[in-house]
Each structure stands twice: as C-alpha cells, then as structure tokens.
Amino acid sequence: MEKVIETIKLMAKAGLFFANCDGDFEQRERHFIDAFLEGILEVGEINDELKDDVKDTLNHKYTVDGIIEDTKHLVEGFNADERKAILFTISQFILKVIATDEKMDSVERENYIKWKEALGL
C-alpha cells in the first residue's frame, strides 16, 4: 500500500509541475488536475491523511529534478518489468497533462525529455 500512496502523491506532483512548467496553468489543465485529485479523493480506501497530502500538493511548487528524484525513489525495489510498467503509466499521465491545452511548449518538452532520460526511457 505504501508504494500506491507514493505513486498517487508523485502523480499529483508531476501533474502540477508539468501543467505549470510552461508558466501558463490554463483552465483545461486546471480541470484535468482537479479531476485527477477528485478521483483520488473519492476512493474510499484512502485515509484522511493521504487525502490531505494530495490536496496539499496544490500549495507547493515542484521542480523537474524533484520529480525525477521522487520517481527514482518510487521505482526502487521493483524488477525491470514492474519499473517499466510504472514508468510507462506515469509517462502517459504526464503526456495527458501536457496535451490538455492542445500544445506542447518547448519548456514542457525539455522537462519531459529530461525526466525520461534521467529514468532511462
């Protein structure tokens, strides 16, 4: 369960970072992130502490280096196939966040490439 919690927190942080990294947190991006957070908050098996942690992600700024470190920490202890599946899921989520405003800014592209390369993708 601990890794599930880490994954949820990481995806919330990564989503916010990539939605904001181009300097323009557009309404569609905000709705996408809000919908993700609402979906997490509606899961009955998640305790109040995690719900508060997920909500609290909205109050922080994140860096690509922090997202990279959190991702590396998350996949520690998994075998190669499991790491690949987890990273693929996170990557697809990031791409959906980026695509929400129907454009990929050069800053978003650079950060996404940096994230991928740091994780060996």
Side-chain angles (χ1 to χ4, degrees):
M1 184 66 165
E2 183 179 324
K3 287 292 185 177
V4 171
I5 291 168
E6 283 183 55
T7 303
I8 291 168
K9 289 179 182 180
L10 174 63
M11 290 179 75
K13 291 176 186 179
L16 287 167
F17 170 75
F18 280 96
N20 283 306
C21 75
D22 63 356
D24 190 14
F25 192 25
E26 292 189 5
Q27 193 64 28
R28 286 179 283 190
E29 292 169 322
R30 187 176 312 275
H31 286 305
F32 184 86
I33 297 299
D34 287 345
F36 171 76
L37 293 175
E38 283 300 314
I40 295 303
L41 297 176
E42 289 176 8
V43 175
E45 292 144 16
I46 293 177
N47 64 34
D48 289 338
E49 182 180 342
L50 177 57
K51 288 179 183 181
D52 291 342
D53 286 350
V54 170
K55 285 181 195 175
D56 191 50
T57 60
L58 295 171
N59 300 320
H60 299 281
K61 294 275 186 187
Y62 301 100
T63 65
V64 70
D65 293 330
I67 300 300
I68 289 167
E69 288 308 310
D70 287 352
T71 306
K72 286 179 179 180
H73 177 74
L74 175 69
V75 297
E76 286 177 359
F78 287 101
N79 69 40
D81 289 337
E82 292 167 331
R83 276 193 304 276
K84 184 177 177 181
I86 292 166
L87 293 173
F88 177 78
T89 300
I90 296 169
S91 175
Q92 292 304 300
F93 177 75
I94 290 169
L95 289 173
K96 285 180 183 179
V97 170
I98 291 171
T100 302
D101 63 0
E102 299 178 354
K103 62 182 181 227
M104 183 183 265
D105 180 270
S106 63
V107 175
E108 291 170 330
R109 181 180 293 108
E110 289 169 18
N111 283 306
Y112 178 67
I113 290 169
K114 183 176 181 177
W115 179 83
K116 281 180 47 175
E117 288 176 349
L119 294 156
L121 299 176

